[in-house]
Amino acid sequence: SRGEIVSQPPQGYDIVDGNYVPNADSSLIRRIFDMYVSGMGQSQIARILNAEGHTTKRGNKIENRTIEYIINNPVYIGKLRWSTGGRTVSRRKYDDPASIVIDGSHEPIIDMDTWNKAQEIAAAVKAKYAKHSSE
């Protein structure tokens, strides 16, 4: 609740002196958001990035769920999220009431306008394909 980090840094950040600091991958995160808000789907973005040789922070192939997680991760707007009820976020329940989102003390990579547009698109996609969702 103090805005301090509670996990390993996500792609686009390193930990320096106990705080998330944007790294070279932060430009990739901005690009992912830009492609998404310009109308590209998660799978299409993943295919493009894989073709260019990009990988996840752990060196794995980028999948559509990787893009989904990035798009829904509030760390990129300077916030921190964790769940009081276990690993609900790992099950793609990003709006789970057991999750807490607070202001972090780190520099955001994504501006609020881009974040809000991405969230609107994600909500519309989720509503359109609700019967195929994992919930």
Side-chain angles (χ1 to χ4, degrees), residues 6-18:
V6 294
S7 66
Q8 292 297 313
Q11 190 149 10
Y13 287 102
D14 289 325
I15 296 177
V16 177
D17 297 327

Side-chain angles (χ1 to χ4, degrees), residues 7-133:
S7 66
Q8 292 297 313
Q11 190 149 10
Y13 287 102
D14 289 325
I15 296 177
V16 177
D17 297 327
N19 203 11
Y20 290 150
V21 176
N23 63 24
D25 277 349
S26 62
S27 61
L28 179 64
I29 299 301
R30 283 187 206 94
R31 185 169 169 224
I32 289 169
F33 272 87
D34 289 344
M35 288 190 287
Y36 191 71
V37 299
S38 72
M40 285 190 192
Q42 295 167 0
S43 295
Q44 183 181 12
I45 295 169
R47 281 192 302 275
I48 290 169
L49 298 181
N50 285 319
E52 293 174 355
H54 296 284
T55 61
T56 66
K57 187 168 181 119
R58 294 183 179 172
N60 297 321
K61 180 180 167 182
I62 295 174
E63 300 175 342
N64 64 324
R65 66 184 173 158
T66 310
I67 303 303
E68 177 187 30
Y69 183 76
I70 289 170
I71 294 297
N72 286 285
N73 193 343
V75 73
Y76 298 118
I77 54 168
K79 299 193 179 290
L80 298 172
R81 173 182 58 206
W82 75 93
S83 176
T84 60
R87 297 187 56 138
T88 56
V89 172
S90 69
R91 291 177 182 82
R92 297 192 253 177
K93 295 181 182 176
Y94 303 111
D95 57 353
D96 190 301
S99 292
I100 297 171
V101 178
I102 61 157
D103 291 334
S105 58
H106 61 283
E107 177 185 339
I109 294 175
I110 302 301
D111 64 78
M112 284 305 295
D113 285 341
T114 303
W115 171 262
N116 289 333
K117 288 176 192 171
Q119 299 315 298
E120 288 173 16
I121 294 167
V125 169
K126 186 175 181 178
K128 184 176 180 180
Y129 298 106
K131 69 178 184 175
H132 299 292
S133 71

